[in-house]
């Protein structure tokens, strides 16, 4: 694999790892001419076999062909020299690194958890996409907790990701057990998986802070008032964690321009008796970033989207261009009013659109006044905000709990996978669509009278499979991260929003 770089902010490009929809109201556009892709490719077929194109391939409306191609049949693991395949047999195409063991990684891609041909058949029409999803057992029912490294769309975007596990609890045997799934048409490359434990008083809770730290929140207070950019009262929406989330008014989204892309929410809190406090947020991304990634970055480039992933996103220059735009425009910015002027004091990066995320930003408390006014600023309709509070805060160091055991769905131990996930060492565990495994951890129990909050800590990236209708579309030009592109993406999102949201979780790829 390409060595990942700790480029601050560059791993936080998108609330990606999101959702794909084959739009029922738009027929895929056939390419006007064949498109040449030069990156090494794996092309997955609907019968479960895989074509390997180490020298790239040519995608036409009715076929995919290339020199030096071979077909790998799973699970027989037989290889045959081929020229290509008809496009009506293509399930998806992905780039891969020539540094990997191709045959073993293909086997992992399609056979990591005995993925059945039934699952592959469902994948042919799947409309749901997700990065690694984390579940815990809640009274016999798997409950979604988090999405791992949802912004890491290529190797150079890898960075440590930490998420709260709101329902995680120790079992009678003292273990904490997580179920990790791949419910999408993408390949996951997991480099490290651990749990972090934070011990605190019963009336407190913890959220991730900077890498290696946690913020313990106490005496949380709901806002006294909350208004959006139009002056609309949104206090009832933001007072409680009830899944009734804030969304930008359509009139604001419709009015965006390159000079003004944003929406705002202004919060008024009672002034705490401290020099600093923390604004705590429960949120997730909307599907706007889904549209940006799938409709503009990938499908908008036709088959060249594969080279965009395999080459552009492997170039430090292109990644830096991407990251610079992200840092300047995306994310949720937290501003505090001082002397009648709002000043930015912190920023929250996007999460995925599936699981609720918890974050907090430490803010200074103004010297005077009975109230603290905080403004949240973000790209219009890019966020779903469920709750906002102001809390007393202290910083602590969580206990890292290493991975103790990995098992398959049938209980069989998976020592090789456990070894790959034990440390950050660029030995990635490759997990394909429909795969699932169970990870066990043994935290030190909390002392009597204390409670624990658990985080899942991970590092990795994922590679999207380009869908057949994307591969047939004409190349509309190289994706350029700028305000014009964002305005266009917001327009696409407005047009497709009702369908996307209605069908959001209607057809995940089954894992069993």
């Amino acid at each position: 694999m390409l060595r990942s770089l700790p480029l601050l902010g560059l791993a936080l490009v998108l609330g990606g790892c999101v959702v794909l929809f084959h739009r029922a109201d738009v027929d895929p556009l056939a390419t006007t001419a064949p498109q040449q892709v030069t990156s090494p490719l794996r092309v997955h077929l609907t019968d479960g076999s895989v074509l390997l194109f180490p020298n790239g391939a040519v995608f036409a409306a009715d076929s995919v062909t290339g020199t030096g191609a071979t077909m790998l049949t799973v699970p027989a693991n037989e290889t045959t020299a081929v020229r290509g395949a008809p496009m009506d047999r293509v399930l998806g195409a992905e780039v891969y690194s020539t540094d990997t063991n191709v045959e073993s990684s293909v086997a992992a891609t399609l056979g990591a958890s005995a993925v059945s041909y039934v699952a592959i058949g469902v994948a042919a029409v799947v409309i749901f996409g997700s990065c690694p999803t984390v579940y815990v057992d809640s009274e016999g029912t798997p409950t979604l907790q988090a999405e791992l490294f949802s912004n890491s769309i290529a190797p150079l975007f890898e960075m440590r990701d930490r998420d709260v596990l709101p329902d995680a609890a120790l079992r009678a045997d003292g273990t904490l057990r997580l179920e990790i799934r791949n419910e999408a048409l993408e390949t996951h490359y997991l480099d490290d998986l651990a749990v972090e434990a934070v011990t605190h008083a019963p009336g407190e809770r913890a959220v991730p802070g900077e890498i290696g730290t946690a913020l313990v929140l106490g005496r949380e207070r709901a806002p006294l008032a909350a208004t959006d950019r139009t002056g609309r009262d949104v206090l009832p929406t933001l007072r409680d964690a009830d899944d009734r989330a804030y969304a930008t008014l359509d009139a604001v989204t419709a009015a965006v321009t390159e000079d003004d892309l944003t929406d705002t929410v202004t919060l008024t809190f009672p002034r705490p008796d401290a020099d600093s406090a923390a604004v705590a947020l429960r949120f997730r991304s909307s599907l706007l970033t889904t549209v940006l990634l799938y409709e503009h970055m990938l499908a908008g480039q036709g088959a060249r989207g594969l080279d965009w992933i395999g080459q552009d996103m492997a170039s430090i220059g292109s990644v830096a261009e991407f990251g610079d735009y992200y840092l300047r425009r995306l994310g949720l910015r937290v501003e505090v009013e001082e002397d009648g002027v709002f000043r930015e004091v912190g920023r929250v990066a996007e999460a995925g659109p599936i699981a609720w995320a918890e974050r907090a930003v430490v803010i200074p408390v103004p010297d005077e006044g009975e109230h603290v006014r905080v403004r949240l600023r973000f790209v219009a309709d890019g966020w779903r905000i469920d709750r906002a509070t102001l809390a007393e805060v202290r910083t602590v160091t969580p206990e890292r709990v290493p991975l103790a055991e990995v098992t398959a769905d049938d209980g069989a131990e998976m020592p090789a996978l456990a070894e790959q996930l034990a440390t950050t060492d660029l030995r990635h565990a490759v997990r394909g669509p429909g795969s699932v495994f169970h990870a066990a951890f043994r935290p030190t129990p909390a002392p009597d009278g204390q409670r624990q909050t658990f985080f899942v800590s991970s590092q990795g990236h994922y590679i999207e499979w380009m869908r057949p209708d994307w591969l047939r579309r004409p190349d509309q030009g190289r994706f350029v991260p700028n305000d014009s592109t964002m305005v266009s993406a917001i327009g696409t999102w407005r047009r497709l929003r009702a369908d996307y949201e209605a069908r959001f979780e209607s057809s995940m790829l089954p894992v069993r």
Side-chain angles (χ1 to χ4, degrees), residues 135-462:
Y135 292 77
V136 299
D137 185 279
S138 178
E139 299 180 353
T141 301
T143 303
L144 178 66
Q145 301 289 287
E147 301 166 71
L148 305 184
F149 47 82
S150 58
N151 302 302
S152 300
I153 61 174
L156 286 183
F157 291 95
E158 279 198 9
M159 185 174 281
R160 177 63 50 182
D161 180 59
R162 300 156 75 225
D163 298 280
V164 175
L165 298 169
D167 299 319
L170 299 185
R171 297 190 176 191
D173 63 359
T175 63
L176 174 64
R177 294 182 178 271
L178 305 179
E179 182 177 301
I180 314 298
R181 301 179 182 180
N182 182 341
E183 301 176 279
L185 289 182
E186 57 196 29
T187 300
H188 298 163
Y189 295 84
L190 295 96
D191 190 20
D192 179 54
L193 184 70
V195 158
E196 295 177 359
V198 182
T199 301
H200 52 80
E204 299 175 325
R205 65 188 181 99
V207 298
E210 298 296 328
I211 297 299
T213 71
L215 300 178
V216 176
L217 308 176
R219 294 190 64 188
E220 291 187 72
R221 302 181 183 184
L224 301 172
T227 56
D228 71 357
R229 177 172 176 164
T230 69
R232 176 177 53 140
D233 179 11
V234 295
L235 181 61
T237 302
L238 299 177
R239 285 186 63 89
D240 302 303
D242 55 9
D243 296 350
R244 191 162 59 102
Y246 173 84
T248 300
L249 283 176
D250 187 63
V252 174
T253 308
V256 297
T257 66
E258 292 183 35
D259 296 325
D260 189 357
L261 292 166
T262 62
D263 187 17
T264 61
V265 172
T266 302
L267 308 164
T268 302
F269 295 99
R271 187 182 185 278
D273 297 325
D275 293 333
S276 64
V279 175
L281 302 171
R282 184 175 192 258
F283 64 90
R284 62 189 180 195
S285 294
S286 75
L287 303 183
L288 169 60
T289 45
T290 303
V291 167
L292 180 63
L293 176 62
Y294 286 146
E295 299 292 339
H296 292 263
M297 297 180 192
L298 298 180
Q301 298 185 83
R304 208 205 84 80
L306 289 161
D307 278 339
W308 183 80
I309 296 173
Q311 298 176 24
D312 293 19
M313 292 298 97
S315 161
I316 291 178
S318 295
V319 169
E321 176 190 29
F322 208 123
D324 177 67
Y325 181 76
Y326 173 80
L327 291 173
R328 286 188 292 108
R329 286 290 185 265
L330 300 180
L332 184 150
R333 301 172 191 279
V334 178
E335 304 169 342
V336 175
E337 186 180 44
E338 295 184 70
D339 299 323
V341 177
F342 282 98
R343 178 174 62 88
E344 184 176 327
V345 297
R347 179 177 169 280
V348 176
E350 275 86 359
I354 306 167
W356 292 106
E358 300 270 4
R359 296 287 188 274
V361 173
V362 177
I363 67 167
V365 175
D367 294 332
E368 299 179 351
E370 298 180 358
H371 302 117
V372 176
R373 279 169 52 84
V374 175
R375 186 166 67 187
L376 311 177
R377 179 181 294 276
F378 45 91
V379 169
D381 211 33
W383 290 70
R384 297 292 179 261
I385 307 170
D386 184 43
R387 180 182 59 186
T389 62
L390 189 69
E392 294 182 357
V393 62
R394 57 189 174 90
T395 302
V396 301
T397 301
E399 172 202 3
R400 179 182 166 94
V401 183
L403 183 62
E405 180 185 58
V406 175
T407 55
D409 216 27
D410 61 2
E413 293 188 10
M414 305 175 73
L417 183 58
E419 183 180 358
Q420 290 171 318
L421 296 174
T423 59
T424 307
D425 56 8
L426 299 181
R427 291 187 302 158
H428 292 85
V430 184
R431 307 297 294 171
S435 64
V436 59
F437 67 89
H438 302 263
F441 305 85
R442 293 186 174 86
T444 302
D448 290 343
Q450 298 288 294
R451 296 188 63 182
Q452 284 179 313
T453 296
F454 297 105
F455 306 156
V456 58
S457 178
S458 64
Q459 184 159 320
H461 67 276
Y462 69 98

